[in-house]
Amino acid sequence: MELLIAFSLLIVLIEFQEQISCFSLSIPASPGYYQDGDFVIGGLFSLRVTARDNKIKFAFNDAMAIPEAVIVNLTKNYQHMLAMVFAMEKINKEPNILFNMSLGFYLFNDDFFETKAMESSMALLSGASPPIPNYSCRPEKTDKLVAVIGGISTGISTQISRVLSLYNVPQISYAPFDQSLGTRDKLQSPYQFPVHTAALYQGIIQLLLYFTWVWVGLVVPDEMRGELFIKEITEEMIKHGICVAFAEKDPVFSSFGQVRWYQLIVHLIMTRVVIAFGDSHDFLTLVSLINSGAIFGNIWITTSDWYTAILPFKQNGIYTPFDGALSFSVHKDEILGFKDFQKSVQPRKYPYDIFIQDVWSILFECPHVYEHVVKKLSQCEQNGSLSTRSLNVWDMNTSPLSYKVHEAVYAIAQALHEELSLRVNLDSFDKCGLQSPLPWKLHPFLQKGKLGRNINEENIVTQEDSATKLDIFNYHSLQSGTKAQVKVGEYLFESHSVQHLFLNDKLINLGVYNNQIPFSLCKQSCPLGFRKTQYSWYAICCYYCVPCPAGEITNETGMDQCFKCPEDQYSNKQRNQCLPKIIAFLSHEDTLGVVLVSVAISLSAFSAMILGLFIHYRDTPIIRANNRNLSYVLLVSLMLCFFCSLTFIGQPRTVTCVLRQMIFGVVFSVAVSAILAKTFIVVMAFKIIKPGSTLQMWMVTRVSNAIVCCGSIIQVCICAVWLGTYPPFPDVDMQSEYGQIILLCNEGSTLAFYCVLGYLGFLASLSLLIAFLARRLPDTFNEAKTITFSMMVFCSVWISFIPTYLSSTGKTMVAVEIFSILASSAGLLGCMFLPKCYMILLRSGSHFRKKVFK
């Protein structure tokens, strides 16, 4: 049944929107509730939603015309009128406030109709129904009018202001604060209750962050107030990493078939949290729209302007989709004595209140009958108490709008008090002369009072207390089957840097989620080992998750950036933890190290065997013909070359880093210089020393010795300069090998290192050139061919070494250099001495062969 009512509410409101322009001032104004006084304050309120309204008389046992298309009676709004009556009764009991003069009131119900609000405003001025413009039919009432309180929405307040501003009558609006009311040309803007928008925005943002809701929707009225709200709160949300999933304006749709209706449905399905900014009337149709469709499971966040519990429906009806809604309201204390006053309200106490009769009949469900299309009210419990009514139709707690009405009455009374005080001080106080007050004289006092005008008066409109406190309410189910707003927290705003949010999690009810906080994200947080990367204009909330690069991790979900591990650590495969790096170097325990050590020792032993063989057969022609002393030097230097490769294996230390390159450079220079000397001897022996030549062989021998010494000394000088300027030193490489700390020897001066290699290359190239030229010289013991081949092997190895060395890292780089040393040395050993060994062992006579092969 209640769903049917809600659906009907939506349809009729749509029809009302289309036909509202058809109303004219020819429709009689609704009767008002008048109470005389020395000064009269007008009040324009909204008690129900109707499509049409005829003149009605409310009284028990009296006939009344049936109003057409009464959509819903907002019985809780009657509290606004009671707040005004209560405030005036208290003021009238205090003789010092108005100098023994009294306040009266003239109250109207405009039924959320802007045209009726305008008619009622004119009725306040003329006192006739229908009103007669610029003519006072009831001067005893009209002349006493000093101010007007109303209306409930921006549109109604604007229409009231259009009439009252012509006569300069002060108007205090209890509608939500709207800056656009202060920017209308040629209109006197109504006074409004200033609101600290920064506190409200920050409170909403802090609540969203508390529940980690960063993907939210906005629903606002299609007017300047809604536009401003979207602009300002969106800017603040972006600063805090919150994104607006959608911003829907004009929630009151003209028909169900419109694209925007389906668009809103899609938005509500895709977005869990929705912020609704506007007053109750703005969302009457929205409430019906949502209720007539499916339950989307949204969490609604509202302000006090949208009083969620205003409609008189029970728990299983209209409010099911709004179960768990959260609302912000400016902190206010309960009006002292107002609850007791409400308990004492009865129709008999206020017989002239035409509104209480209708409200009472609804609250107490008075039986009625129809006679000739006339409704008869009877047997109504006139002695009943409002405190006995259920929360779905009446709430004894002071609503935010009732509090505003109460404060507005006191603001007018204070302005009257100050105006009267001036007359007393000027000795012009005459009670008779006060029967015709001038309303515009109250403007200066209202401007200085608690309520400020919103015509860009910074000292009034932006007036802020040192701290703003907001109460947070939650929409709750009660055992009685109805709903109520329950205070679940507070928000205290002192400045953007000083703000405090207090929430009682035990009291918060999130409706269909059974107190499980729902997710409201465009995308779930990136897991460990991944980071966010932006890809759309929802830059903060919508993103891709990409894995962290090597060496970087994320140890929390939803991180924007990966962070690097310390240099001595590396990231695991999951990129969520840093692990200590393994210290690595070419050690004697490694397989590669064992192989290289074995090869070096074997080649050294083989060199020693050949040296022993050459010493044993030193008198043979083949050894004597090739300068055996140079052969001994070459074999010893090659043996040392094999041994020097051992210094490259093991943990690098200062001594080993310095010695290994120096030993390598000097020993290899001795070996290559010896080969160069041998080449020189071959050339000298066959080209220069001829029969009858005066040059003696002993001179050639001395020159060859000098070549070995000079070649070695030059390399020693290069190494000495290297040691004196920028010598090698132990170093670590943490980047080349993933997950490893490479211990290595930094060569220090790279130029000196390549000078050592370059000098060896120069000696080898010179030997190769000379030997190549002498390769065809005739002689049985000519070494030119073997020197040519040995130098070709030597040069090939070290030419290949350079690019391989530069492209290698860590242990591989050391292994490349060791391999080059062993390969080049082995090449020299094999090419220079294996042919001689073959000739010595296999071609030295039958006696030796028999001895060997016996």
Side-chain angles (χ1 to χ4, degrees):
M1 181 61 184
E2 290 168 348
L3 287 176
L4 181 59
I5 294 174
F7 187 77
S8 302
L9 170 63
L10 178 63
I11 297 298
V12 175
L13 277 179
I14 293 171
E15 293 298 324
F16 160 65
Q17 261 194 321
E18 296 175 350
Q19 298 178 9
I20 189 171
S21 60
C22 300
F23 285 95
S24 65
L25 294 181
S26 62
I27 300 176
S30 300
Y33 172 28
Y34 178 77
Q35 178 175 300
D36 198 13
D38 296 303
F39 308 103
V40 173
I41 301 176
L44 300 177
F45 303 96
S46 300
L47 301 182
R48 61 186 181 180
V49 179
T50 62
R52 289 189 61 185
D53 183 33
N54 295 327
K55 189 173 182 180
I56 305 172
K57 289 184 179 180
F58 296 97
F60 288 97
N61 300 319
D62 289 338
M64 57 176 286
I66 299 177
E68 295 185 10
V70 177
I71 301 173
V72 62
N73 288 284
L74 305 177
T75 54
K76 294 183 181 181
N77 281 6
Y78 180 63
Q79 191 188 70
H80 307 163
M81 288 187 175
L82 293 183
M84 186 169 179
V85 174
F86 174 68
M88 289 189 178
E89 288 187 1
K90 287 200 304 181
I91 292 171
N92 290 335
K93 290 178 182 178
E94 295 290 338
N96 295 329
I97 297 179
L98 298 178
F99 302 95
N100 288 323
M101 304 184 76
S102 63
L103 281 177
F105 53 79
Y106 199 4
L107 309 181
F108 286 89
N109 173 30
D110 55 42
D111 289 339
F112 286 100
F113 265 89
E114 294 182 6
T115 52
K116 288 186 68 174
M118 183 177 291
E119 295 169 31
S120 299
S121 302
M122 297 177 67
L124 282 172
L125 296 171
S126 69
S129 179
I132 302 175
N134 296 322
Y135 186 81
S136 177
C137 299
R138 303 174 66 181
E140 71 277 9
K141 295 179 182 178
T142 307
D143 294 343
K144 297 178 182 180
L145 184 67
V146 293
V148 176
I149 300 174
I152 199 171
S153 67
T154 300
I156 293 176
S157 296
T158 301
Q159 298 306 322
I160 295 172
S161 177
R162 289 181 184 274
V163 177
L164 298 182
S165 63
L166 298 175
Y167 301 90
N168 214 2
V169 177
Q171 174 196 353
I172 298 180
S173 172
Y174 65 98
F177 183 85
D178 188 352
Q179 289 186 0
S180 64
L181 291 180
T183 59
R184 302 180 186 275
D185 297 333
K186 301 180 182 179
L187 284 179
Q188 177 183 331
S189 301
Y191 294 93
Q192 296 186 84
F193 286 83
V195 61
H196 197 333
T197 56
L200 176 61
Y201 297 158
Q202 293 300 322
I204 293 175
I205 290 172
Q206 292 304 316
L207 180 69
L208 295 175
L209 295 176
Y210 180 84
F211 291 110
T212 63
W213 293 332
V214 296
W215 183 248
V216 300
L218 301 179
V219 178
V220 299
D222 191 10
E223 56 187 20
M224 184 63 68
R225 183 164 49 104
E227 290 279 359
L228 188 62
F229 176 79
I230 292 176
K231 176 179 179 295
E232 292 180 348
I233 200 169
T234 300
E235 292 176 355
E236 292 297 323
M237 284 181 174
I238 292 175
K239 295 177 183 178
H240 293 82
I242 301 174
C243 294
V244 177
F246 69 91
E248 188 63 48
K249 295 177 289 186
D250 190 16
V252 182
F253 299 93
S254 59
S255 66
F256 283 103
Q258 270 199 352
V259 175
R260 295 184 66 185
W261 183 83
Y262 296 107
Q263 181 177 320
L264 177 63
I265 298 298
V266 172
H267 286 326
L268 294 179
I269 293 174
M270 300 299 294
T271 308
R272 284 285 169 264
V273 179
V274 182
I275 300 173
F277 177 79
D279 54 44
S280 301
H281 181 248
D282 290 327
F283 297 112
L284 284 177
T285 309
L286 176 64
V287 171
S288 302
L289 170 66
I290 294 174
N291 190 73
S292 62
I295 298 176
F296 306 114
N298 301 108
I299 299 295
W300 292 83
I301 300 177
T302 70
T303 62
S304 59
D305 301 327
W306 182 13
Y307 192 56
T308 314
I310 192 173
L311 295 178
F313 291 116
K314 295 182 180 179
Q315 175 184 359
N316 296 328
I318 193 74
Y319 290 126
T320 302
F322 299 97
D323 194 12
L326 295 163
S327 177
F328 281 85
S329 177
V330 177
H331 177 75
K332 56 180 176 53
D333 297 323
E334 279 291 330
I335 301 175
L336 187 63
F338 188 45
K339 284 188 177 180
D340 295 333
F341 171 77
Q342 294 180 73
K343 292 178 181 179
S344 67
V345 171
Q346 292 178 346
R348 290 180 179 178
K349 185 177 179 181
Y350 299 98
Y352 300 104
D353 186 352
I354 62 173
F355 305 112
I356 194 176
Q357 307 291 348
D358 190 43
V359 172
W360 207 264
S361 66
I362 297 171
L363 293 179
F364 290 88
E365 300 178 353
C366 301
H368 59 274
V369 294
Y370 287 95
E371 293 182 2
H372 306 290
V373 201
V374 176
K375 183 179 181 181
K376 296 284 187 176
L377 302 176
S378 62
Q379 300 179 5
C380 209
E381 187 180 352
Q382 300 193 40
N383 294 325
S385 174
L386 294 175
S387 61
T388 63
R389 299 301 87 194
S390 60
L391 281 171
N392 64 303
V393 293
W394 190 262
D395 191 352
M396 296 293 291
N397 293 318
T398 305
S399 70
L401 296 183
S402 297
Y403 187 85
K404 285 185 178 181
V405 172
H406 181 271
E407 291 297 302
V409 174
Y410 268 87
I412 295 172
Q414 180 64 27
L416 281 170
H417 173 80
E418 294 182 8
E419 201 273 342
L420 295 175
S421 298
L422 286 178
R423 298 193 185 187
V424 172
N425 294 334
L426 295 174
D427 296 328
S428 60
F429 184 79
D430 182 4
K431 184 174 181 179
C432 296
L434 296 176
Q435 297 300 320
S436 301
L438 299 176
W440 54 84
K441 289 188 176 182
L442 297 184
H443 282 300
F445 306 104
L446 288 173
Q447 291 175 353
K448 292 187 299 182
K450 185 176 181 180
L451 296 177
R453 297 194 52 175
N454 57 338
I455 311 181
N456 300 326
E457 298 181 15
E458 183 177 353
N459 59 333
I460 299 174
V461 178
T462 60
Q463 179 180 0
E464 300 175 0
D465 297 328
S466 57
T468 301
K469 182 189 259 187
L470 300 177
D471 293 330
I472 303 174
F473 293 91
N474 187 211
Y475 196 54
H476 268 212
S477 301
L478 300 181
Q479 295 180 354
S480 61
T482 56
K483 300 286 187 178
Q485 300 278 14
V486 177
K487 182 177 178 180
V488 295
E490 292 180 347
Y491 172 72
L492 184 63
F493 179 87
E494 297 182 18
S495 65
H496 282 81
S497 58
V498 181
Q499 44 188 309
H500 308 280
L501 178 68
F502 307 97
L503 286 176
N504 189 339
D505 295 332
K506 296 181 180 179
L507 294 178
I508 297 178
N509 170 34
L510 296 179
V512 297
Y513 295 101
N514 297 320
N515 295 330
Q516 297 295 323
I517 300 175
F519 290 104
S520 185
L521 306 168
C522 175
K523 180 179 177 62
Q524 294 293 334
S525 297
C526 291
L528 298 180
F530 290 79
R531 66 173 179 86
K532 300 176 183 178
T533 180
Q534 302 170 0
Y535 71 94
S536 72
W537 68 278
Y538 299 116
I540 304 174
C541 301
C542 299
Y543 45 82
Y544 289 120
C545 293
V546 296
C548 293
E552 298 183 9
I553 67 167
T554 55
N555 55 5
E556 295 180 4
T557 59
M559 295 188 67
D560 296 325
Q561 296 293 335
C562 304
F563 60 88
K564 291 185 177 180
C565 293
E567 284 191 346
D568 59 344
Q569 297 180 4
Y570 71 101
S571 60
N572 57 359
K573 292 182 179 180
Q574 293 76 24
R575 302 290 195 269
N576 60 3
Q577 186 179 5
C578 290
L579 303 176
K581 287 183 178 180
I582 300 173
I583 297 177
F585 57 89
L586 185 60
S587 67
H588 299 88
E589 289 78 17
D590 290 342
T591 303
L592 181 61
V594 172
V595 172
L596 292 175
V597 169
S598 301
V599 172
I601 293 176
S602 300
L603 291 174
S604 297
F606 187 63
S607 301
M609 292 174 58
I610 294 176
L611 177 62
L613 183 65
F614 268 54
I615 294 175
H616 186 270
Y617 291 98
R618 60 183 177 277
D619 295 326
T620 58
I622 191 173
I623 295 176
R624 293 179 60 189
N626 291 282
N627 197 328
R628 58 187 174 189
N629 293 330
L630 287 178
S631 298
Y632 297 156
V633 171
L634 180 58
L635 284 170
V636 172
S637 62
L638 288 176
M639 190 186 314
L640 293 178
C641 286
F642 292 129
F643 274 119
C644 82
S645 65
L646 299 179
T647 60
F648 289 82
I649 303 175
Q651 182 174 348
R653 303 183 185 279
T654 304
V655 175
T656 56
C657 286
V658 172
L659 290 181
R660 70 184 187 180
Q661 295 292 0
M662 305 304 145
I663 294 175
F664 158 72
V666 173
V667 170
F668 258 83
S669 64
V670 172
V672 178
S673 298
I675 293 175
L676 178 61
K678 277 180 167 289
T679 308
F680 175 76
I681 290 176
V682 171
V683 174
M684 292 293 291
F686 288 93
K687 291 289 186 180
I688 300 177
I689 303 177
K690 296 180 180 180
S693 174
T694 58
L695 186 62
Q696 301 297 324
M697 190 64 191
W698 63 268
M699 295 181 61
V700 175
T701 303
R702 288 191 176 183
V703 172
S704 62
N705 293 336
I707 291 175
V708 174
C709 294
C710 292
S712 302
I713 291 173
I714 293 175
Q715 187 73 292
V716 170
C717 294
I718 295 175
C719 292
V721 173
W722 188 1
L723 289 176
T725 55
Y726 194 5
F729 59 91
D731 199 1
V732 292
D733 181 5
M734 297 185 180
Q735 307 300 328
S736 299
E737 295 292 337
Y738 184 71
Q740 294 184 354
I741 299 177
I742 305 298
L743 301 184
L744 50 82
C745 286
N746 191 310
E747 305 303 342
S749 175
T750 306
L751 176 62
F753 174 69
Y754 286 108
C755 285
V756 170
L757 293 180
Y759 180 69
L760 291 177
F762 168 73
L763 294 179
S765 300
L766 187 60
S767 299
L768 175 62
L769 177 63
I770 297 174
F772 180 77
L773 295 176
R775 71 187 185 282
R776 298 186 182 276
L777 295 177
D779 190 76
T780 304
F781 306 113
N782 184 10
E783 281 189 307
K785 293 181 180 180
T786 60
I787 292 174
T788 301
F789 285 115
S790 64
M791 287 297 98
M792 289 179 65
V793 172
F794 184 87
C795 292
S796 299
V797 169
W798 286 104
I799 289 175
S800 302
F801 162 78
I802 303 252
T804 308
Y805 182 82
L806 294 176
S807 61
S808 303
T809 56
K811 294 189 291 185
T812 306
M813 178 185 290
V814 179
V816 166
E817 188 168 359
I818 295 174
F819 177 79
S820 299
I821 292 172
L822 295 178
S824 59
S825 301
L828 293 178
L829 182 65
C831 293
M832 292 291 295
F833 296 102
L834 284 182
K836 296 181 177 62
C837 292
Y838 171 78
M839 296 180 68
I840 292 172
L841 296 177
L842 300 180
R843 303 182 65 179
S844 297
S846 59
H847 177 72
F848 180 77
R849 286 196 297 272
K850 292 179 181 180
K851 186 177 180 180
V852 173
F853 296 106
K854 179 171 63 173

